[in-house]
Each structure stands twice: as structure tokens, then as C-alpha cells.
Amino acid sequence: MLGERSLRDSVNKAIDSMLMVESDDSRIRVDEVTGCLRRSYYNRRERSIPMKERLILLQRYMHGISRERKEYHIEDLTIIADADTVVDDAVVRFEVVDDLPSAPEPASLIALNASLWILDKDEGALVYITRDGSTIQFSITRDKRLFDETIRRAKVLSMLLKDNRPPVLEPSEHCNECSYYERCYIQHRRYEGTTLERIFGLKRE
Ligand code: SF4
């Protein structure tokens, strides 16, 4: 009978296999280069995807959104794109979000653009869906410079993984939510207002 720890390991392995977590440093998923490379590096080294990102990936998986993988080979590197539905020769990428964005998010644009090149399609659509069923759609045409930049970032990540060297910090608004915040930035203490007021003598005792 499996102990609690073995059961947890087995469940994590099953999720990794369902989400197709890559362990070969020559194989880079597009979604690993759409955001902070340093975070993707740590995710690989931890041999795990942080729980929050797992939930997002699982949510996409359970909605049946990421169904098909396509590979792009360049030199000794393989770039892997999650290809969403192809309708009338256009690639459609779905994103489940809490709030509809007013413009496409850069990470989604990079991922869809890579799918267009890897599937050899000219046009695509990004569809954002909220849990209550509201949607907004953006159409895009493929862009070579953006794909070249995606390839360049994949090469950098692959090389640094092989060299065991973490990429440089990529400070952004996502850092506050990132599991590796404390590895990247100095440790800090949090003071509530009343304590701060006492430290700076702003409050009469
Ligand atoms: S804290 Fe910021 S810079 Fe560091 S890994 Fe996370 S996203 Fe990247």
C-alpha cells in the first residue's frame, strides 16, 4: 500500500506526464520563453511546476484547450508549441481569464505567433474566456521578428540549463506573485502601519 509521500509523488508524476513536463534541456516549450526565463530555469531545476502554474495548466488541459503538440527543430534545439484548434486555416488559441483584457497579453501573443510559424499558418486568433462565459477575440498575423526572438530566448534558456547557470533577473509586475521572489530579491520584513509609525515617531504613544 502506498504511503502518503509515495502517493503524493505518484500524483505529481501523473500530473507531470499529463502536462508533459520536459526534462531534456535541448527541448524547450514555447510557454517557457514567453515570460521570465529565470523562473522557467528554476521550474526545470525543481523538476516541478509551481502549484499556481500547475493549476493554470491543468485548467487549460481540463477545458480540452491544449490538445496537440508540434515541434520545431533548429540546430540541436527543439521548440515545442501547444497548438490549439485550427479553424479555416487559422490557429485559435484560448485563454481562460478572470477578467477580459483590453489588449492581447504579450505571453499569449508570443505563444500564438510561435504556433503560426510551427504550423505554417498565416493568421490566428486569441480568444479570452471568463468563467461566466464572456469572451473577447483578437486576430493576429504572424510576425517573423517575434518568432526569431522566441527562438533566441529558447536557445538562451537551453544553453543556461545545460551550463547550470540561472538567467538574469527579469523584474516585472509578476515577481510579487512568483514562487522564487526570495531567491531573486533581498529578504525583507513586513511592518504593519502602527509599527512603522512607532519606528519613525509618527504616532504619539
Ligand atoms: S521573482 Fe521575478 S525575476 Fe525572479 S524568477 Fe520570479 S519572475 Fe523571474
Side-chain angles (χ1 to χ4, degrees):
M1 192 169 154
L2 286 174
E4 189 185 337
R5 192 188 179 101
S6 324
L7 182 61
R8 195 170 55 229
D9 288 348
S10 301
V11 170
N12 278 336
K13 271 187 201 158
I15 292 174
D16 283 354
S17 124
M18 199 160 72
L19 299 176
M20 294 181 275
V21 174
E22 290 293 337
S23 55
D24 179 344
D25 293 339
S26 298
R27 295 170 59 81
I28 302 292
R29 299 190 318 273
V30 168
D31 64 86
E32 291 180 294
V33 297
T34 57
C36 175
L37 293 187
R38 190 175 173 96
R39 180 161 60 179
S40 298
Y41 174 95
Y42 285 143
N43 286 350
R44 285 276 184 121
R45 284 294 165 264
E46 299 288 322
R47 287 276 180 255
S48 172
I49 298 177
M51 189 49 70
K52 187 174 172 192
E53 289 170 40
R54 271 169 190 261
L55 289 175
I56 292 170
L57 287 169
L58 271 174
Q59 192 175 45
R60 285 177 60 79
Y61 181 90
M62 289 166 79
H63 278 78
I65 287 175
S66 285
R67 293 188 192 130
E68 199 181 336
R69 296 213 137 177
K70 297 285 178 189
E71 296 186 353
Y72 179 85
H73 301 276
I74 179 165
E75 298 157 16
D76 64 345
L77 179 70
T78 301
I79 301 176
I80 304 157
D82 287 322
D84 293 348
T85 312
V86 178
V87 182
D88 295 337
D89 224 28
V91 179
V92 183
R93 181 180 174 88
F94 296 97
E95 299 283 359
V96 181
V97 291
D98 291 330
D99 299 302
L100 295 178
S102 55
E105 292 171 348
S108 307
L109 276 179
I110 294 168
L112 177 56
N113 186 61
S115 292
L116 292 179
W117 284 95
I118 292 171
L119 289 166
D120 195 22
K121 304 289 180 195
D122 290 324
E123 295 188 356
L126 265 176
V127 182
Y128 291 94
I129 311 170
T130 62
R131 284 169 187 77
D132 64 6
S134 303
T135 64
I136 189 168
Q137 177 180 325
F138 302 93
S139 61
I140 73 160
T141 49
R142 68 181 186 174
D143 183 287
K144 182 70 166 65
R145 280 179 312 165
L146 187 57
F147 188 49
D148 287 343
E149 177 60 14
T150 306
I151 294 171
R152 188 194 67 78
R153 286 172 62 77
K155 283 181 177 172
V156 169
L157 179 58
S158 174
M159 180 192 71
L160 293 174
L161 281 165
K162 288 174 183 171
D163 290 351
N164 278 319
R165 284 190 292 139
V168 295
L169 302 183
E170 294 186 44
S172 74
E173 73 276 15
H174 301 299
C175 294
N176 283 349
E177 306 285 319
C178 178
S179 325
Y180 309 115
Y181 182 98
E182 297 213 338
R183 285 194 205 177
C184 293
Y185 300 105
I186 52 176
Q187 291 199 348
H188 60 280
R189 288 189 188 167
R190 175 177 160 171
Y191 293 97
E192 297 298 338
T194 50
T195 310
L196 197 62
E197 285 160 356
R198 207 174 298 126
I199 288 170
F200 289 102
L202 298 174
K203 186 179 179 188
R204 283 186 197 160
E205 295 291 343

